[in-house]
Amino acid sequence: MMTLPRFRSLSALLAAAAMVFAVPAAVAQEKPKVIRISYSSAGTGGRPIVGGSVIATAHQQGVLEKEFAKDGIKIQWTFNPGAGPATNEQLANGLADFAHHGDLPIIIGRSTGLRTRILFPYTRFGAAYITGPVDSPARTLEDLKGKRLAVFKGTASQLALGRILKKHGLTERDFKTVSMDGDTLRAAIATKDVDGGFIAPFDLEARGVGKLIYSTGPDPELTSQGVFWVSEEFERKYPDIVQRVVTTLIKVAAWSSDEKNREAQYKLWSNSGTSYYEYQKTFVDVPLKWRLSPLLDEYFVENLKKSIQQAREFKLIRRDVDINGWLAPQYLNTALKELKLEGYWPEFNAAGKPKLAQQ
């Protein structure tokens, strides 16, 4: 007959053993209840639908919701009319796990101590435009000197404008520079409250209220890059979830980069309030596999370094930013391998030219 002391000892031993084997299982099964994605833009009038990027397409297709439904994980999207600065504020307050971000605001965030990991880019080689009222006498950028020029400060647009002005021997101080978001700027051009603004002209031209003053074309020296990132805290807790998010989005990027889906994608994006016509005009000059490439190639890395340098030069940040440890290419590389998409997008060299082997 088992004695009471021995029974207690055995029970304690079994309980301890159960705890030892239960801990790894609990860790392996740990999942977030919600994945919070911040988007540094919003549709016309602040509507929670956007266009112009792979991330916008993924949102409208509901692919992340489908991927994580079986886990009971909700996807929470936040669309920010306040653009990149608003997304930085959300991250600083622990309210964003992933985000769509322009190059300047993510650099500003990094320079102030916000901890992110860049997963992949979602845009490159897009033209930039300066648009004025329909009856503006201005024909060149120089014609706007001393006049009211609007740009959404703190966003990628401000850095792109700085590059353009530098190319022409100008700075923001040569203009009466004011900050306006997209909706406000469109209205200001229509009412002639500004002489020019950093915004695409095509919808405004179609309405008979705007005209193109300047365009960069798809110049690799002047283009902006957008990135998709994860917070360091979320990555540390849930690296497997990060991989699933990236793999799901790269699958969408392949669909979005297929020329046969160009028109269908414009229709999706036009739900944002920006017209199908404007997407046609702003995406016409560059193959989708170039424009929507998610590759962390030489061009991306060198352009990011240049953006950091120029942000400091234009006094948009106060301290340098080190990119060491900032990029997390392992998630993209795994996704490309799993989806058999290695070589699907052409790689570009530091100067923004396709590498010869992939032309």
Side-chain angles (χ1 to χ4, degrees), residues 8 10 37 47 73 107 187 197 203 220 232 269 308 311 326 331:
R8 285 176 177 168
L10 182 59
I37 304 173
R47 71 180 71 179
I73 299 173
I107 290 168
D203 277 353
E232 285 190 0
W269 291 347
I308 293 168
W326 197 8
Y331 299 104

Side-chain angles (χ1 to χ4, degrees), residues 202-238:
F202 305 108
D203 277 353
L204 292 165
E205 286 179 334
R207 290 167 48 200
V209 297
K211 62 170 265 189
L212 175 65
I213 295 174
Y214 177 87
S215 172
T216 62
D219 187 335
E221 290 295 319
L222 299 177
T223 187
S224 296
Q225 296 185 132
V227 301
F228 188 72
W229 55 252
V230 63
S231 74
E232 285 190 0
E233 181 180 3
F234 190 95
E235 183 199 13
R236 185 170 58 252
K237 289 181 180 178
Y238 312 112

Side-chain angles (χ1 to χ4, degrees), residues 290 298 345-350 352-359:
W290 294 22
E298 290 177 16
W345 289 277
E347 291 191 27
F348 287 78
N349 64 23
K353 303 294 183 182
K355 289 190 173 180
L356 292 177
Q358 294 182 322
Q359 282 188 345

Side-chain angles (χ1 to χ4, degrees), residues 41-51 79-81 183 186 271-274:
S41 183
T44 301
R47 71 180 71 179
I49 301 176
V50 289
F79 295 91
N80 292 318
D183 285 347
R186 290 183 187 91
N271 293 327
S272 67
T274 297

